[in-house]
Tab-separated table of all heavy atoms in Angstrom:
chain	number	residue	atom	x	y	z
A	85	ARG	N	3.540	-58.639	-19.839
A	85	ARG	CA	4.993	-58.467	-20.022
A	85	ARG	C	5.416	-58.432	-21.484
A	85	ARG	O	6.553	-58.758	-21.825
A	85	ARG	CB	5.779	-59.558	-19.281
A	85	ARG	CG	5.360	-59.809	-17.847
A	85	ARG	CD	5.280	-58.565	-17.015
A	85	ARG	NE	6.575	-57.922	-16.828
A	85	ARG	CZ	6.731	-56.686	-16.319
A	85	ARG	NH1	5.674	-55.987	-15.960
A	85	ARG	NH2	7.933	-56.181	-16.185
A	86	LYS	N	4.526	-58.009	-22.385
A	86	LYS	CA	4.866	-57.847	-23.803
A	86	LYS	C	5.206	-56.378	-24.041
A	86	LYS	O	4.412	-55.597	-24.575
A	86	LYS	CB	3.694	-58.287	-24.677
A	86	LYS	CG	3.348	-59.762	-24.525
A	86	LYS	CD	2.153	-60.126	-25.394
A	86	LYS	CE	1.809	-61.600	-25.259
A	86	LYS	NZ	0.633	-61.975	-26.080
A	87	LEU	N	6.410	-55.975	-23.640
A	87	LEU	CA	6.776	-54.565	-23.579
A	87	LEU	C	7.089	-53.969	-24.952
A	87	LEU	O	6.856	-52.773	-25.185
A	87	LEU	CB	7.963	-54.387	-22.634
A	87	LEU	CG	7.722	-54.922	-21.207
A	87	LEU	CD1	8.945	-54.678	-20.332
A	87	LEU	CD2	6.485	-54.292	-20.593
A	88	ALA	N	7.631	-54.748	-25.870
A	88	ALA	CA	7.895	-54.239	-27.218
A	88	ALA	C	6.583	-53.894	-27.920
A	88	ALA	O	6.471	-52.852	-28.587
A	88	ALA	CB	8.676	-55.272	-28.024
A	89	GLU	N	5.580	-54.765	-27.762
A	89	GLU	CA	4.269	-54.487	-28.341
A	89	GLU	C	3.638	-53.242	-27.727
A	89	GLU	O	2.998	-52.448	-28.417
A	89	GLU	CB	3.344	-55.691	-28.147
A	89	GLU	CG	3.672	-56.880	-29.005
A	89	GLU	CD	4.680	-57.818	-28.342
A	89	GLU	OE1	5.388	-57.372	-27.404
A	89	GLU	OE2	4.765	-58.980	-28.771
A	90	ALA	N	3.838	-53.052	-26.431
A	90	ALA	CA	3.298	-51.870	-25.759
A	90	ALA	C	3.867	-50.592	-26.361
A	90	ALA	O	3.145	-49.603	-26.565
A	90	ALA	CB	3.608	-51.931	-24.264
A	91	SER	N	5.155	-50.577	-26.678
A	91	SER	CA	5.783	-49.396	-27.278
A	91	SER	C	5.263	-49.136	-28.683
A	91	SER	O	5.010	-47.984	-29.066
A	91	SER	CB	7.305	-49.569	-27.316
A	91	SER	OG	7.849	-49.479	-26.024
A	92	ARG	N	5.081	-50.193	-29.467
A	92	ARG	CA	4.604	-50.004	-30.834
A	92	ARG	C	3.152	-49.529	-30.858
A	92	ARG	O	2.778	-48.687	-31.684
A	92	ARG	CB	4.774	-51.303	-31.626
A	92	ARG	CG	6.229	-51.610	-31.957
A	92	ARG	CD	6.347	-52.640	-33.067
A	92	ARG	NE	6.012	-53.983	-32.587
A	92	ARG	CZ	6.901	-54.823	-32.060
A	92	ARG	NH1	8.170	-54.458	-31.931
A	92	ARG	NH2	6.525	-56.024	-31.655
A	93	VAL	N	2.339	-50.043	-29.949
A	93	VAL	CA	0.965	-49.548	-29.830
A	93	VAL	C	0.974	-48.057	-29.484
A	93	VAL	O	0.181	-47.278	-30.021
A	93	VAL	CB	0.182	-50.340	-28.758
A	93	VAL	CG1	-1.149	-49.664	-28.453
A	93	VAL	CG2	-0.058	-51.766	-29.218
A	94	SER	N	1.862	-47.650	-28.600
A	94	SER	CA	1.960	-46.246	-28.193
A	94	SER	C	2.267	-45.352	-29.383
A	94	SER	O	1.663	-44.284	-29.556
A	94	SER	CB	3.042	-46.086	-27.127
A	94	SER	OG	2.745	-46.851	-25.974
A	95	ALA	N	3.209	-45.767	-30.233
A	95	ALA	CA	3.592	-44.967	-31.399
A	95	ALA	C	2.432	-44.822	-32.375
A	95	ALA	O	2.156	-43.720	-32.886
A	95	ALA	CB	4.793	-45.611	-32.097
A	96	VAL	N	1.748	-45.930	-32.644
A	96	VAL	CA	0.589	-45.888	-33.547
A	96	VAL	C	-0.477	-44.941	-33.011
A	96	VAL	O	-1.067	-44.141	-33.754
A	96	VAL	CB	0.013	-47.303	-33.735
A	96	VAL	CG1	-1.330	-47.249	-34.463
A	96	VAL	CG2	0.988	-48.181	-34.509
A	97	ALA	N	-0.733	-45.003	-31.708
A	97	ALA	CA	-1.768	-44.172	-31.086
A	97	ALA	C	-1.426	-42.685	-31.183
A	97	ALA	O	-2.306	-41.852	-31.434
A	97	ALA	CB	-1.945	-44.578	-29.628
A	98	ILE	N	-0.171	-42.333	-30.994
A	98	ILE	CA	0.244	-40.930	-31.076
A	98	ILE	C	0.012	-40.390	-32.486
A	98	ILE	O	-0.516	-39.282	-32.670
A	98	ILE	CB	1.727	-40.778	-30.670
A	98	ILE	CG1	1.871	-41.019	-29.159
A	98	ILE	CG2	2.259	-39.393	-31.033
A	98	ILE	CD1	3.304	-41.137	-28.693
A	99	THR	N	0.395	-41.159	-33.504
A	99	THR	CA	0.198	-40.726	-34.891
A	99	THR	C	-1.284	-40.537	-35.204
A	99	THR	O	-1.688	-39.511	-35.779
A	99	THR	CB	0.797	-41.760	-35.859
A	99	THR	OG1	2.196	-41.874	-35.625
A	99	THR	CG2	0.569	-41.352	-37.307
A	100	LEU	N	-2.101	-41.504	-34.826
A	100	LEU	CA	-3.534	-41.419	-35.109
A	100	LEU	C	-4.178	-40.225	-34.408
A	100	LEU	O	-4.985	-39.499	-35.004
A	100	LEU	CB	-4.225	-42.710	-34.670
A	100	LEU	CG	-3.900	-43.985	-35.465
A	100	LEU	CD1	-4.621	-45.176	-34.856
A	100	LEU	CD2	-4.276	-43.828	-36.921
A	101	ASN	N	-3.821	-40.007	-33.142
A	101	ASN	CA	-4.445	-38.914	-32.397
A	101	ASN	C	-4.051	-37.551	-32.950
A	101	ASN	O	-4.860	-36.624	-32.980
A	101	ASN	CB	-4.075	-39.010	-30.914
A	101	ASN	CG	-5.277	-38.825	-30.021
A	101	ASN	OD1	-6.372	-39.251	-30.362
A	101	ASN	ND2	-5.096	-38.206	-28.868
A	102	LEU	N	-2.809	-37.420	-33.388
A	102	LEU	CA	-2.375	-36.156	-33.984
A	102	LEU	C	-3.162	-35.865	-35.258
A	102	LEU	O	-3.610	-34.726	-35.479
A	102	LEU	CB	-0.876	-36.198	-34.285
A	102	LEU	CG	-0.308	-34.960	-34.991
A	102	LEU	CD1	-0.530	-33.695	-34.161
A	102	LEU	CD2	1.182	-35.146	-35.292
A	103	CYS	N	-3.356	-36.870	-36.097
A	103	CYS	CA	-4.108	-36.670	-37.342
A	103	CYS	C	-5.541	-36.231	-37.054
A	103	CYS	O	-6.063	-35.295	-37.680
A	103	CYS	CB	-4.098	-37.961	-38.158
A	103	CYS	SG	-2.480	-38.404	-38.836
A	104	VAL	N	-6.172	-36.900	-36.101
A	104	VAL	CA	-7.543	-36.526	-35.734
A	104	VAL	C	-7.578	-35.109	-35.165
A	104	VAL	O	-8.475	-34.313	-35.475
A	104	VAL	CB	-8.125	-37.526	-34.717
A	104	VAL	CG1	-9.498	-37.071	-34.231
A	104	VAL	CG2	-8.228	-38.914	-35.339
A	105	GLY	N	-6.584	-34.764	-34.340
A	105	GLY	CA	-6.524	-33.430	-33.747
A	105	GLY	C	-6.398	-32.332	-34.775
A	105	GLY	O	-7.028	-31.268	-34.659
A	106	VAL	N	-5.597	-32.553	-35.802
A	106	VAL	CA	-5.433	-31.551	-36.861
A	106	VAL	C	-6.749	-31.338	-37.601
A	106	VAL	O	-7.136	-30.199	-37.901
A	106	VAL	CB	-4.313	-31.990	-37.839
A	106	VAL	CG1	-4.311	-31.096	-39.078
A	106	VAL	CG2	-2.953	-31.934	-37.152
A	107	ILE	N	-7.465	-32.419	-37.886
A	107	ILE	CA	-8.754	-32.301	-38.583
A	107	ILE	C	-9.750	-31.500	-37.752
A	107	ILE	O	-10.445	-30.608	-38.263
A	107	ILE	CB	-9.318	-33.714	-38.890
A	107	ILE	CG1	-8.431	-34.415	-39.925
A	107	ILE	CG2	-10.759	-33.618	-39.389
A	107	ILE	CD1	-8.768	-35.882	-40.119
A	108	ILE	N	-9.822	-31.791	-36.445
A	108	ILE	CA	-10.758	-31.066	-35.578
A	108	ILE	C	-10.376	-29.589	-35.474
A	108	ILE	O	-11.244	-28.704	-35.464
A	108	ILE	CB	-10.806	-31.717	-34.185
A	108	ILE	CG1	-11.375	-33.133	-34.274
A	108	ILE	CG2	-11.656	-30.880	-33.221
A	108	ILE	CD1	-11.341	-33.902	-32.978
A	109	SER	N	-9.084	-29.292	-35.404
A	109	SER	CA	-8.626	-27.899	-35.353
A	109	SER	C	-9.106	-27.128	-36.575
A	109	SER	O	-9.584	-25.989	-36.467
A	109	SER	CB	-7.093	-27.847	-35.276
A	109	SER	OG	-6.626	-28.327	-34.039
A	110	ILE	N	-9.002	-27.735	-37.746
A	110	ILE	CA	-9.444	-27.078	-38.982
A	110	ILE	C	-10.946	-26.820	-38.946
A	110	ILE	O	-11.428	-25.746	-39.336
A	110	ILE	CB	-9.061	-27.939	-40.208
A	110	ILE	CG1	-7.532	-27.991	-40.352
A	110	ILE	CG2	-9.692	-27.389	-41.486
A	110	ILE	CD1	-7.036	-28.983	-41.386
A	111	ILE	N	-11.707	-27.787	-38.438
A	111	ILE	CA	-13.167	-27.630	-38.347
A	111	ILE	C	-13.527	-26.452	-37.450
A	111	ILE	O	-14.407	-25.637	-37.784
A	111	ILE	CB	-13.816	-28.926	-37.825
A	111	ILE	CG1	-13.697	-30.035	-38.876
A	111	ILE	CG2	-15.285	-28.685	-37.455
A	111	ILE	CD1	-14.141	-31.394	-38.386
A	112	PHE	N	-12.858	-26.313	-36.305
A	112	PHE	CA	-13.159	-25.208	-35.391
A	112	PHE	C	-12.834	-23.850	-36.014
A	112	PHE	O	-13.584	-22.887	-35.842
A	112	PHE	CB	-12.391	-25.377	-34.083
A	112	PHE	CG	-13.067	-26.285	-33.093
A	112	PHE	CD1	-12.350	-27.240	-32.401
A	112	PHE	CD2	-14.423	-26.185	-32.847
A	112	PHE	CE1	-12.959	-28.081	-31.483
A	112	PHE	CE2	-15.058	-27.010	-31.936
A	112	PHE	CZ	-14.319	-27.968	-31.257
A	113	VAL	N	-11.728	-23.772	-36.704
A	113	VAL	CA	-11.331	-22.499	-37.316
A	113	VAL	C	-12.331	-22.084	-38.393
A	113	VAL	O	-12.718	-20.916	-38.503
A	113	VAL	CB	-9.906	-22.600	-37.911
A	113	VAL	CG1	-9.587	-21.366	-38.742
A	113	VAL	CG2	-8.877	-22.758	-36.795
Side-chain angles (χ1 to χ4, degrees):
R85 312 309 295 168
K86 297 179 179 179
L87 303 181
E89 288 89 341
S91 289
R92 288 197 286 271
V93 169
S94 299
V96 170
I98 290 170
T99 299
L100 292 177
N101 226 35
L102 177 59
C103 291
V104 175
V106 169
I107 293 170
I108 295 174
S109 291
I110 294 171
I111 291 172
F112 276 135
V113 171

